[in-house]
Amino acid sequence: MLGIETDIQYADIGGDNNIPILKSDDDDDNWFGTVRARAGYAFDRALIYATGGLAYAKISNGFSSSDDTSVGWTLGAGVEYAFTNNLTAKVEGLYVNLDQDDDDLPVNAGSDETEFGVIRAGLNYKFSTY
């Protein structure tokens, strides 16, 4: 099986600072998405697959007020099982690595990379057109 998959979701990621005078409310607009290739092998009604591609996000770090979108990559794997011809369920794990542009920080606050893991489950219904 070969295919392309895309998604976008809210995420509570990014750092909060604990310095009251620098406190920011920008941490509530975090989101990330992916555009990935998906390749796998089906065993009867089970599909085991690997996935990888582009990752993008808006992540506030508690210091920055930038509206820039971070871009990076993602890699993962999963399993999907078809209970019926129309109903499937999946469990998937992704590793996401984003390059954040922290140029608006007054000092070098460390790494410009944000990396995190995602484990998610899904229930899919395929509509028949025949």
Side-chain angles (χ1 to χ4, degrees):
M1 183 280 312
L2 292 173
I4 295 178
E5 187 171 37
T6 185
D7 57 61
I8 188 165
Q9 53 267 310
Y10 168 79
D12 187 15
I13 50 183
D16 286 329
N17 68 64
N18 292 322
I19 305 169
I21 201 164
L22 296 176
K23 210 57 147 157
S24 168
D25 292 331
D26 292 335
D27 290 343
D28 57 358
D29 59 354
N30 296 325
W31 54 266
F32 81 97
T34 67
V35 177
R36 299 172 281 127
R38 190 166 104 154
Y41 188 79
F43 302 93
D44 192 29
R45 291 186 163 267
L47 171 67
I48 298 173
Y49 63 90
T51 185
L54 175 76
Y56 54 95
K58 168 67 169 78
I59 301 172
S60 301
N61 63 15
F63 290 102
S64 171
S65 61
S66 172
D67 288 331
D68 293 343
T69 300
S70 301
V71 178
W73 56 273
T74 184
L75 189 62
V79 61
E80 188 165 354
Y81 186 80
F83 295 104
T84 69
N85 288 339
N86 299 85
L87 187 64
T88 69
K90 74 175 183 177
V91 176
E92 178 177 81
L94 293 175
Y95 169 77
V96 179
N97 187 303
L98 299 167
D99 180 30
Q100 280 194 273
D101 182 14
D102 291 336
D103 294 338
D104 55 344
L105 292 178
V107 295
N108 184 358
S111 173
D112 284 347
E113 287 186 4
T114 296
E115 50 188 13
F116 54 92
V118 177
I119 297 175
R120 58 182 162 198
L123 186 63
N124 306 306
Y125 182 82
K126 296 189 269 181
F127 293 95
S128 298
T129 58
Y130 53 92

